[in-house]
């Protein structure tokens, strides 16, 4: 069961007007997703849309072949984001009521601002039987580790159910931090639009009994055999906050250099933001990752539409030609993740042409260079150098 548990509706700031249930439900299976978080579950108009769907299991709503579970994100008094997964519509309404006196934009913004601290939010969430954890935990603007050096400083003794890695980190990086050894990691897209390079660009594969909130909660706490069996996400170097960089001209800096410059870019005077890689190095316990036994593999992927665009030598990933070929591939082989990882390149060539098949071969062999992301600019995969040879072959077979 593939699930993307963090998206935003059109009622959050800076989101696509196409973030409608029907459109998300139609796009999700193309990415191989069976379960998607609704996002913005505290927003009255969005919750009203969810309410029109058939409830097919405890806290699970269905549109077409896609299941939805209630989720939302809130920003606390220190600008730290928390992702919340809720058991029911009534729990969402209860949470909205309890947050009301601490928020001025609860009815307006799908991702409301609260005047509460992390620990206070966690206590309220836990009392409503919902679960929470820090969103995109290492990013420089709105995350727990931009503000604190430990989980406890944010949450006190309150229980959290997971930590979301964010696009610029993976388990290799996060497992250098001792206090996270027992925490389940989630890899979610945080999509603001339903299109294939956003929705499901990161997701989790769960092992569950049936599909319900309680079963999902058990998986987060790794009970009764339920668990996350695979995290699928960006190569963290592709994330837009991976490296320390200027937010105006995107020049990369070493941490010491940025400190010496008092976080002002020597080229353009813009602000320098600490990258996720450097932040994790600061708080790391170990130089090398220590993966606990329960930690699932992390499969590093990149959006297929971007690989298609490169193969077709088209710079705009949203161009109709790229979108058409992407759709043909995904329709022919059921989902994007299968094309990226499973399908025989010879079969891919028959549908999408030899150039795409060749890039998929090289992608699987990790035969490419990466221009790392930073300062708000995504990284890029560069296929132009030939013949570096295969490293670890990507495969989904063992999971
Ligand atoms: Zn966020
Ligand atoms: Zn600059």
């Amino acid at each position: 069961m593939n699930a993307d548990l963090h998206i935003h509706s059109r009622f959050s700031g800076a989101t696509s007007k196409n973030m409608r249930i029907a459109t998300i439900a139609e796009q999700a299976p193309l990415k191989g997703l069976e379960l998607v978080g609704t996002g913005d579950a505290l927003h009255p108009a969005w919750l009203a849309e969810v309410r029109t769907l058939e409830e097919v299991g405890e806290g699970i709503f269905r549109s077409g072949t896609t299941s939805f579970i209630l989720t939302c994100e809130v920003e606390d008094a220190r600008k730290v984001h928390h992702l919340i997964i809720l058991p029911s519509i009534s729990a969402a309404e209860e949470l909205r009521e309890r947050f009301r006196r601490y928020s001025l934009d609860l009815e307006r913004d799908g991702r409301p601002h609260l005047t509460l601290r992390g620990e206070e939010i966690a206590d309220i969430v836990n009392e409503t039987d919902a679960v929470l954890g820090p969103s995109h935990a290492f990013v420089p603007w709105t995350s727990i580790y931009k503000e604190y050096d430990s989980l406890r400083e944010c949450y006190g003794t309150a229980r959290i159910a997971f930590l979301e890695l964010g696009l610029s980190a993976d388990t290799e990086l996060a497992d250098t931090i001792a206090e996270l050894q027992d925490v389940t990691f989630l890899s979610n897209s945080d999509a603001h639009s339903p299109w294939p390079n956003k929705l499901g660009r990161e997701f989790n594969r769960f092992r569950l009994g049936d599909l319900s909130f309680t079963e999902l909660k058990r998986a987060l706490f790794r009970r009764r055999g339920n668990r996350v069996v695979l995290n699928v996400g960006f190569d963290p170097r592709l994330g837009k906050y991976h490296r320390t960089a200027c937010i105006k001209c995107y020049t990369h800096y070493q941490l010491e250099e940025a400190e010496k410059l008092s976080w002002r870019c020597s080229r353009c005077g813009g602000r320098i933001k600490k990258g996720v890689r450097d932040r994790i190095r600061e708080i790391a316990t170990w130089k090398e990752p220590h993966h606990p036994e329960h930690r699932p593999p992390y499969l590093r992927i990149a959006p297929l539409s971007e690989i298609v665009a490169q193969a077709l030598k088209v710079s705009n990933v949203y161009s109709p030609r790229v979108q058409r070929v992407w759709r043909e591939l995904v329709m022919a082989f059921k989902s994007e993740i299968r094309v990226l990882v499973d399908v025989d390149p010879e079969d891919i060539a028959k549908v999408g042409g030899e150039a795409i098949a060749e890039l998929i071969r090289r992608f699987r062999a990790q035969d490419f260079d990466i221009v790392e992301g930073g300062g708000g600019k995504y990284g890029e995969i560069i296929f132009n150098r030939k013949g570096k040879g295969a490293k670890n072959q990507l495969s989904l077979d063992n999971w």
Side-chain angles (χ1 to χ4, degrees):
M1 149 89 41
N2 294 333
D4 178 359
L5 297 174
H6 184 173
I7 67 163
H8 289 280
S9 78
R10 65 186 186 282
F11 297 106
S12 283
T15 54
S16 160
K17 63 181 186 322
N18 294 304
M19 283 308 251
R20 299 172 172 278
I21 294 279
T23 311
I24 299 164
E26 185 188 284
Q27 293 293 313
L30 303 177
K31 297 289 292 194
L33 301 174
E34 292 141 283
L35 178 66
V36 181
T38 60
D40 300 359
L42 301 179
H43 192 279
W46 188 241
L47 193 63
E49 279 185 39
V50 175
R51 202 194 285 273
T52 64
L53 305 178
E54 186 192 358
E55 185 166 5
V56 293
E58 179 214 7
I60 305 293
F61 301 84
R62 180 79 48 87
S63 173
T65 57
T66 302
S67 296
F68 288 87
I69 190 163
L70 294 161
T71 62
C72 66
E73 186 182 45
V74 296
E75 181 171 305
D76 74 15
R78 305 282 291 266
K79 285 201 161 68
V80 174
H81 286 189
H82 308 271
L83 178 66
I84 304 172
I85 308 172
L86 300 112
S88 63
I89 297 228
S90 60
E93 287 169 337
E94 185 189 336
L95 211 53
R96 191 200 302 150
E97 281 314 305
R98 295 196 58 179
F99 284 154
R100 188 180 300 279
R101 46 196 283 239
Y102 306 106
S103 178
L104 293 172
D105 57 5
L106 199 49
E107 312 276 329
R108 264 182 294 126
D109 195 334
R111 185 208 292 117
H113 301 79
L114 307 178
T115 56
L116 297 164
R117 289 177 298 110
E119 182 174 11
E120 295 169 317
I121 292 171
D123 282 339
I124 292 172
V125 166
N126 288 331
E127 280 166 26
T128 57
D129 290 326
V131 293
L132 101 168
S135 306
H136 38 74
F138 309 102
V139 297
W141 297 102
T142 52
S143 77
I144 180 168
Y145 285 112
K146 69 90 190 168
E147 191 65 19
Y148 304 104
D149 290 334
S150 71
L151 294 173
R152 182 173 275 260
E153 284 171 57
C154 178
Y155 293 113
T157 55
R159 185 176 71 163
I160 61 162
F162 58 83
L163 172 139
E164 186 183 73
L165 293 166
L167 304 178
S168 299
D170 66 1
T171 48
E172 290 296 301
L173 290 163
D175 272 338
T176 59
I177 301 168
E179 69 166 354
L180 302 183
Q181 291 282 286
D182 200 37
V183 179
T184 292
F185 292 159
L186 290 182
S187 38
N188 298 315
S189 72
D190 199 354
H192 291 198
S193 98
W195 310 129
N197 57 335
K198 304 293 181 196
L199 180 68
R201 60 187 169 176
E202 302 213 337
F203 64 86
N204 315 275
R205 182 168 292 174
F206 284 93
R207 182 190 297 146
L208 304 175
D210 54 8
L211 181 52
S212 69
F213 171 81
T214 299
E215 286 286 304
L216 186 81
K217 184 172 174 178
R218 281 182 188 139
L220 297 172
F221 290 107
R222 306 188 297 278
R223 293 203 189 116
R224 304 203 195 178
N226 291 9
R227 58 192 204 93
V228 177
V229 292
L230 178 68
N231 291 111
V232 180
F234 270 26
D235 185 310
R237 294 172 294 173
L238 297 174
K240 61 181 175 179
Y241 294 111
H242 184 67
R243 291 290 302 273
T244 296
C246 170
I247 62 171
K248 258 167 94 184
C249 74
Y250 309 115
T251 302
H252 288 191
Y253 288 94
Q254 297 299 329
L255 188 57
E256 307 70 40
E257 222 180 333
E259 278 164 355
K260 240 183 260 163
L261 291 166
S262 305
W263 302 92
R264 281 286 155 198
C265 178
S266 59
R267 270 210 195 153
C268 78
R271 198 164 164 196
I272 302 171
K273 271 288 175 188
K274 194 182 289 178
V276 164
R277 189 195 73 168
D278 288 331
R279 181 59 185 139
I280 290 178
R281 279 183 188 167
E282 280 182 335
I283 52 180
T285 320
W286 310 291
K287 274 223 159 78
E288 299 298 321
H290 287 42
H291 299 301
E293 205 166 310
H294 68 82
R295 186 73 67 217
Y298 183 104
L299 183 68
R300 289 181 168 191
I301 56 160
L304 174 63
S305 53
E306 290 175 10
I307 295 174
V308 170
Q310 284 205 38
L312 299 177
K313 301 194 174 4
V314 174
S315 58
N316 179 7
V317 68
Y318 298 106
S319 88
R321 194 157 153 246
V322 171
Q323 294 298 315
R324 194 192 71 235
V325 173
W326 175 83
R327 188 172 271 271
E328 280 167 8
L329 283 168
V330 167
M331 292 301 221
F333 304 111
K334 288 214 185 85
S335 74
E336 170 163 334
I337 187 68
R338 295 197 62 226
V339 177
L340 273 177
V341 175
D342 285 331
V343 178
D344 187 332
E346 285 182 19
D347 296 329
I348 291 174
K350 283 177 207 145
V351 176
E354 184 49 46
I356 290 172
E358 177 57 20
L359 290 198
I360 295 278
R361 257 186 224 112
R362 290 171 62 185
F363 176 74
R364 290 183 191 171
Q366 297 186 50
D367 180 12
F368 52 76
D369 292 316
I370 283 187
V371 178
E372 293 174 292
K377 188 176 185 209
Y378 287 108
E380 265 179 87
I381 283 193
I382 307 285
F383 284 107
N384 59 12
R385 280 209 301 137
K386 242 197 140 137
K388 268 170 48 184
K391 290 183 207 154
N392 303 321
Q393 191 74 25
L394 282 183
S395 167
L396 276 178
D397 289 350
N398 302 326
W399 300 307

